[in-house]
Every structure is written in C-alpha cells, then in structure tokens.
Amino acid sequence: MSSKPQLPVGSEHEKRAKRPSPIPDDADSQTNSEIVENLEEGVQEVHEELRKATITQITLTMFALLAICYFAKLVLVTIFTAILIAFILEPIVRGLARIQIPRSVGSLIAVLLLLGILYGLSYFFYQRAVDFVHELPQMSGEIKKLVGKFEHNADQMRQKAQQILPPSAEDKNTVPVRVRQDSGIAGFLGPELANVGEALLTAAFIPFLVYFMLSWQEHARQATVRLFPPRNRLKAYQTLGKISEMMKGFIVGNFIVGIFMSIVGGVVFAFLHLPYFYFLGLMSGFLSLVPYLGVIFALLPPVVSGIGVLHGTGIVIIAATIFALHIFSMNVLYPKVIGGRLELNPLAVTLGLLIWGWLWGAMGLILAVPVLGTIKIICDNMEGLEPFGAWLGEDDGKKGNAKA
C-alpha cells in the first residue's frame, strides 16, 4: 500500500489566505469613475482659473491702453494723421515710380505738392476773409436787423417768464456783480497759448513723418515683420497687408462720397449765385464726411459766403440740400462704398466715435473709423482675440446675404 505524502491542511489554508483576493467588478468600475470625475473637476477648475486670469489681463491691458491714448494723445494723433496722409499720397509716389523717379524723390514731390495745396487753401481763405471784412459794413444793417429780431424775441420770452415766475425778495435785493477780465494781450490769449504752441510744434513734424513713411515704406514693413517670431511672421505680414488694403478702401470710399456731395452741392450753390460756388461745394462736400458734426461743418462755408447775397429762402434751400445729401450719403452711399471694406457694425462705429472723440477731441472723430478698422483686423488675426474681432464686425448672416 503506497502512501502519498499529505500536506498539512493548515499550510494550504494559509497560502490561500495570503493570496490577494480579487476586487469585484463593481468596485473597480466605481473607483475608475471617481478618478475620472476628479480629473474632470480638476481640469474644469484649471480652465476656470485660466479664463479669469485672461479676462483680468485683457481688462487691465485695455485700461492701460486707454490711459496711454489719453495722456499721449498729441503724439498719437500726430502719428496717425501722418499715416493717413501717407496713404493718401501713396498713389502719387507709386505713379512717379512708374516713370523711373526714385521713391525718395517721389515722396519729396508728393509732400511738397501737399504743402503747396495747403498754402493755396490758406491764401484763398485769407483773401476771402479780407473781402468779407471789406463787405461787412454793407452787411451790418442786415446783420443788425437779424440780431435785433433775436434780441426782441428773447426779451419777450424773458418778460413772460418774469410774469409767470416773479422774482423773489432776495433776488430783488441782490447786487449784481460784474466780473472784469484781464485786458491786453495776456488776457486775450489766456493760458491756452502754451497748448496751442505745443500743438503747432508737434504738427510741424507731420510733413517729415509723412516723407519718411513714404520713402521708407518697405523697410518699415519688413522691419516690423521681423519683430515677430519666425512662426508668426507670415501672419504678421498678411495682417499688415490687410490693414493697408483697409486704409486704401477707406480713403477711396470717402473720396468717392465726397466728390458726389461736392458736385451736387456745387450745382445748388451755382443756382443760388453764390460767389466761388465751385470751391464752396468742394469744402461743404468733404466737411460733410465728418461723423455726426458733418452737417454743421458743411453748412458754415455756404451760409457765411451767402451773407448779403441770400435771403431766408436761399438759406433754407442750402440747409435742406446739405441735410438731404448728408442723410443720403451716410445711410446709402457710405455703407455701400465704405462699409463693405471695413466690415464694422454700426454699434461698434458709434461707440468708437464716442470713445475716440472723448480721448482725442475733433481729430478723434476723423481717425476713429480707420483706427477701429485696424483694431478689428488685428483681433481677427491674433489668437485669443478673435471674439473681439467678431464683436466689432458685421453679422455673418448679413454678410452672406450681401455677397449673395
């Protein structure tokens, strides 16, 4: 009888007890789901923190840029004005380059031509002011009658207001005080003389800036592109090209609309026998392009020139013509000719005019639209700023309908 060795029962039991017991499937899946949930919550928290940090950085950057634009407005307005003039003169330089004239010489010719035109306009206005001063005694009677009517109406309104609201006892016993201003040149010029001198000194740099922007255009563009990392240089070059095309479209569109309003206004002024009707039409047409204040600026040249020549009906015809031209051009021609090139929505343009007008005054109203178009192009082509460019732009559905 062969006997097999028997292992102790206790040792087998101990071995089994020492082996790791398998985890049930339910516990395994529950543990994995908890880990995934914890990871997702962590990722969401990181994204939320990054989003808050990004919003804070963008807000602080915007406030810093607005502060720079406000405190350095004189320098920035001079630079942007020079850029706008350089784009206006660029076709002249390009045309001279086609007949083998060097770009440096062509830029000098364009700047001198601009200065000559400005001198001619200044001389014309000076002569017109001298003629107006000479004719002023003849018009004084009509001006006094017109002013007398306004004073008479004002006196009647004041007397009626006193009858309705009689002055109190305290107002009757008050002693009127008259403030006397300083006489002489110091009192006439006031403290604004230093600001005017500073503005004129800064404006004297514009011809030099325009010349160097024209003659060193390619160098400035290539040097600007090299400021970016190699992987972003192509994008920067394309962005600068889009900004250049936008500026050209803005200038050409304004020129077309201004010429249309100048021709129509000149015809009306000629019908009313205004002196220098051709020049008045040109001035009124292009002054009407100024946002919001264009109607007032466009009315001044023909109305001032028509004193002593026109009567009430003529002034009404001039006002109605300029108002109708402004409404038609700004609501029909301007969106068709310029709006498609800038791709800015009306709300963004209105807010831009308000902000840049507050920052830079009257020049801010002129420079607001091209500056806003430049900001939109930069936002469209910079990673992370696309939503801001989309907010400034037009609706995609409207663009698609317009293209269709």
Side-chain angles (χ1 to χ4, degrees):
M1 180 176 174
S2 61
S3 61
K4 294 181 180 180
Q6 296 181 357
L7 297 174
V9 177
S11 62
E12 183 69 24
H13 179 72
E14 289 177 358
K15 289 181 181 179
R16 290 180 180 178
K18 290 180 180 179
R19 291 177 185 176
S21 59
I23 301 174
D25 295 340
D26 295 338
D28 192 5
S29 61
Q30 184 177 1
T31 304
N32 292 334
S33 63
E34 290 179 356
I35 294 173
V36 171
E37 289 179 359
N38 292 333
L39 289 175
E40 289 179 353
E41 291 178 358
V43 170
Q44 290 178 358
E45 290 179 358
V46 171
H47 281 297
E48 185 68 20
E49 294 295 329
L50 290 175
R51 188 181 66 84
K52 292 179 180 179
T54 303
I55 293 174
T56 303
Q57 291 177 356
I58 292 174
T59 304
L60 293 176
T61 303
M62 289 178 61
F63 279 113
L65 290 175
L66 287 176
I68 292 172
C69 291
Y70 181 77
F71 290 106
K73 58 184 177 182
L74 193 58
V75 176
L76 293 177
V77 166
T78 303
I79 293 174
F80 283 115
T81 303
I83 292 173
L84 190 62
I85 295 174
F87 274 103
I88 294 174
L89 298 180
E90 174 61 24
I92 300 175
V93 179
R94 196 183 303 117
L96 293 174
R98 291 176 182 174
I99 56 177
Q100 305 302 321
I101 295 179
R103 188 171 185 86
S104 58
V105 179
S107 302
L108 180 61
I109 294 174
V111 172
L112 292 177
L113 180 62
L114 175 64
L115 294 176
I117 294 174
L118 292 177
Y119 175 77
L121 293 176
S122 302
Y123 181 78
F124 176 83
F125 282 119
Y126 174 75
Q127 292 296 328
R128 185 64 187 130
V130 171
D131 295 339
F132 180 77
V133 170
H134 288 306
E135 295 174 1
L136 192 59
Q138 301 176 1
M139 302 183 232
S140 59
E142 297 182 4
I143 295 175
K144 287 180 180 179
K145 290 180 182 178
L146 185 62
V147 174
K149 290 181 180 179
F150 284 108
E151 290 180 351
H152 180 68
N153 295 332
D155 290 336
Q156 287 183 345
M157 293 177 63
R158 186 174 62 253
Q159 291 175 3
K160 291 181 180 179
Q162 289 178 355
Q163 292 176 1
I164 297 173
L165 297 172
S168 60
E170 295 180 356
D171 294 336
K172 292 180 179 179
N173 297 327
T174 55
V175 178
V177 178
R178 185 175 182 181
V179 180
R180 183 177 179 182
Q181 296 181 350
D182 295 334
S183 59
I185 298 177
F188 177 74
L189 295 178
E192 299 295 328
L193 181 61
N195 295 332
V196 173
E198 185 180 358
L200 292 176
L201 181 62
T202 308
F205 283 90
I206 292 179
F208 300 99
L209 287 174
V210 172
Y211 171 75
F212 290 119
M213 286 178 182
L214 290 172
S215 58
W216 290 79
Q217 182 186 34
E218 291 300 326
H219 171 76
R221 188 169 184 174
Q222 294 175 4
T224 303
V225 171
R226 292 195 191 98
L227 295 175
F228 295 88
R231 57 188 179 87
N232 295 330
R233 287 178 181 175
L234 178 60
K235 196 74 171 178
Y237 186 83
Q238 293 174 350
T239 303
L240 290 176
K242 291 178 181 179
I243 293 174
S244 177
E245 292 299 323
M246 182 272 299
M247 292 292 292
K248 293 176 183 176
F250 174 76
I251 293 170
V252 172
N254 276 281
F255 182 76
I256 293 173
V257 176
I259 287 294
F260 169 78
M261 291 192 290
S262 300
I263 293 174
V264 177
V267 171
V268 175
F269 300 158
F271 175 77
L272 296 174
H273 303 288
L274 285 179
Y276 308 105
F277 63 89
Y278 49 89
F279 189 73
L280 293 174
L282 197 65
M283 285 183 56
S284 179
F286 280 94
L287 286 175
S288 185
L289 294 174
V290 178
Y292 294 103
L293 301 177
V295 176
I296 300 174
F297 292 158
L299 276 171
L300 291 178
V303 169
V304 172
S305 180
I307 295 177
V309 179
L310 299 176
H311 299 284
T313 306
I315 295 177
V316 170
I317 293 175
I318 290 176
T321 302
I322 292 176
F323 185 77
L325 279 175
H326 184 81
I327 295 297
F328 176 75
S329 299
M330 294 297 106
N331 292 278
V332 179
L333 293 181
Y334 203 88
K336 295 292 183 182
V337 178
I338 302 176
R341 292 179 170 91
L342 299 181
E343 297 181 356
L344 294 171
N345 65 72
L347 176 60
V349 172
T350 305
L351 291 175
L353 291 170
L354 177 63
I355 294 172
W356 294 109
W358 169 67
L359 288 173
W360 294 346
M363 287 302 300
L365 296 176
I366 298 174
L367 298 172
V369 176
V371 169
L372 201 63
T374 303
I375 294 174
K376 181 190 180 301
I377 293 174
I378 293 174
C379 292
D380 288 339
N381 292 274
M382 186 173 290
E383 186 178 356
L385 297 180
E386 293 89 348
F388 294 95
W391 191 90
L392 293 173
E394 296 177 339
D395 185 39
D396 294 336
K398 291 182 179 180
K399 282 199 225 177
N401 296 334
K403 291 179 181 178

